[in-house]
Amino acid sequence: MIPLKRRKISHTESHQNESCKFPHVPIFILERKMGASRRSFLTRLARSKGFLIKEAYSSAVTHVVSENNSGDEVQSWLENQTGVDTSTSVHLLDVSWFTESMAAGRPVTVQDKHRLKVNPKCNGDDNVILMKSYACQRRTPLKHHNLFLTEALELLAENAEFSENEGRSVAFRRAASVLKALPHRVHSMDELKSLPCLGEHSQRVIKEILEDGTSREVESTRQSEQFQAMKALTGIFGVGVRTADRWFRKGLRSPTDLIRMGQPLNRAQQAGVQYYDDLQKPVTKAEADVISDIVQQAVCAVLPGAEIQLMGGFRRGKEFGHDVDFLITHPEEGKEEGLMAKIIKWLEERGLLLYQKTTRNSYLEKMDGPARPPNNMDRFERCFSIFKLQISDRSTGSHAERSVSQSETLSWRAVRIDLVVSPYCQFAFATLGWTGSKLFERELRRWAGQEKHMSLSSHALYDNNQKHYLRAQTEEEIFAYLGLEFIPPSERNA
């Protein structure tokens, strides 16, 4: 749909303003879902009968006519495009009112059957935003107005994950996501009445914070020995929730305890303990850019023409992250095979990898595409690694030479990096899947399954009704297949 624009008022419209029979009923016909040709036909028909049809929406319009849209869709679209609040100033009407008026030769009385239904808004001075229930339908900026609430809900979500209560964790994260998308700071519970995904538990926490400035449950959780221990143990590279919980039950509370008690560790966990302090420090965007230059150098050296893209939170605009993700491909299908081993060899020869584990690509479209598991773990060739980042002016934002051969370094630190190689035919899906956020991707898959009867993964999109794959070369095409407005990476911070 082409965005609503201010159009020059044509000679025809100027003439009809002077000669129309019903100047007190300025009508705007919404092109959304109707199409330009039908809108043009209805405009000519109405003007031939003396109706006043406006080419552009403005505060002068009293009747908005739409076809195949809900009231919420029309109101939200008009407000987004024009900045005008239509909630009380205009009739939002189904095309049935228009056709009845054409038949009668005059504007018929607006009845309830003609009106498009709009969900009620909260009372108050602040504008209440119509909020879609799926995070993939909403624009969620990196910086928002309700950090004091979302941090509390996300802490409870993290604690639920430590208890392997996925349902509760997702509920808290969905509630936090809604608050992140609000264009204003929440001051009272009344402002939340019409918002989706806010369960009773989340509302209790929010209410307590709004009234008392803090939540007893959140603070109790934050200070609990179990939460602090699980956070420390799961922060070790190579350690998941189940392993951390098993260690906690044995009385282990920190990486130091693992060493002191002689806890057996696998190779990844050994590296995680060894470089624990470094890996707990946030990675800056400047550091990610330095690593990106080095990986780019490695990729180009072993396979000219290959493409590499910085993924994850940094692609969404974050200035800090806990690791650095790269997605690699080659425009010539099949050229990417064997690429990972060559990249790893190049990096190891230069002493840049402190640890690495590579998994092969095991995705087979015929077997794995249509029935992806809920967690969407992809099957790409991937290398989980700990990178040895030389620290100098180069990693603090200086424009100094960034060649790997440069030896004048002050020191180094360990940084987690993930390298992922994708076939070119799957690159758009891999890009979408590896951009995040985690909840945004989860909601995309949920939308695909529940609303569109499709199966979406980081490899493919499968239409379960038509029993075939939908091919895409860009993220925009995938959003279009799913019937969603395209949301750029910077606004996927659900």
Side-chain angles (χ1 to χ4, degrees), residues 1 33 41 85 90 117 133 193 210 294 347 364 387-388 466:
M1 177 65 195
K33 292 189 179 180
F41 167 76
D85 182 2
V90 66
K117 300 299 185 290
S133 61
K193 287 181 179 177
L210 291 176
I294 295 171
L347 294 172
L364 296 174
F387 188 88
K388 186 176 183 179
Q466 299 185 34

Side-chain angles (χ1 to χ4, degrees), residues 430-450:
T431 300
L432 180 59
W434 274 85
T435 296
S437 64
K438 184 177 179 181
L439 181 65
F440 188 90
E441 300 301 326
R442 184 188 186 100
E443 292 288 273
L444 268 178
R445 298 191 298 274
R446 189 167 72 95
W447 168 272
Q450 295 186 6

Side-chain angles (χ1 to χ4, degrees), residues 196-207:
C197 305
L198 296 180
E200 291 183 6
H201 196 157
S202 294
Q203 290 193 49
R204 285 200 306 272
V205 173
I206 295 169
K207 184 175 187 293

Side-chain angles (χ1 to χ4, degrees), residues 346-475:
W346 192 97
L347 294 172
E348 286 185 327
E349 286 176 347
R350 287 154 181 81
L352 294 172
L353 294 183
L354 301 168
Y355 167 88
Q356 68 86 12
K357 180 181 180 181
T358 303
T359 60
R360 297 177 61 84
N361 183 6
S362 61
Y363 175 78
L364 296 174
E365 187 174 273
K366 292 181 180 180
M367 296 177 60
D368 298 307
R372 297 303 304 143
N375 63 11
N376 198 41
M377 283 297 291
D378 61 59
R379 307 276 287 278
F380 291 117
E381 186 173 24
R382 182 190 308 176
C383 177
F384 296 105
S385 71
I386 299 178
F387 188 88
K388 186 176 183 179
L389 174 63
Q390 305 293 344
I391 299 177
S392 68
D393 288 341
R394 293 180 289 120
S395 58
T396 57
S398 167
H399 294 289
E401 175 61 41
R402 292 180 176 178
S403 171
V404 175
S405 62
Q406 184 173 331
S407 60
E408 59 276 21
T409 56
L410 303 177
S411 59
W412 60 270
R413 63 162 293 197
V415 176
R416 273 200 56 192
I417 74 168
D418 291 342
L419 303 173
V420 181
V421 173
S422 163
Y424 196 71
C425 64
Q426 299 172 29
F427 191 65
F429 299 100
T431 300
L432 180 59
W434 274 85
T435 296
S437 64
K438 184 177 179 181
L439 181 65
F440 188 90
E441 300 301 326
R442 184 188 186 100
E443 292 288 273
L444 268 178
R445 298 191 298 274
R446 189 167 72 95
W447 168 272
Q450 295 186 6
E451 305 296 333
K452 307 301 289 186
H453 306 292
M454 297 178 180
S455 298
L456 174 67
S457 74
S458 293
H459 295 275
L461 179 63
Y462 185 81
D463 189 317
N464 294 310
N465 290 331
Q466 299 185 34
K467 306 297 182 186
H468 69 81
Y469 289 94
L470 301 170
R471 308 300 177 184
Q473 293 186 330
T474 65
E475 290 180 302

Side-chain angles (χ1 to χ4, degrees), residues 90-101:
V90 66
H91 294 293
L92 303 183
L93 304 171
D94 181 71
V95 73
S96 60
W97 174 85
F98 182 89
T99 55
E100 288 182 26
S101 297

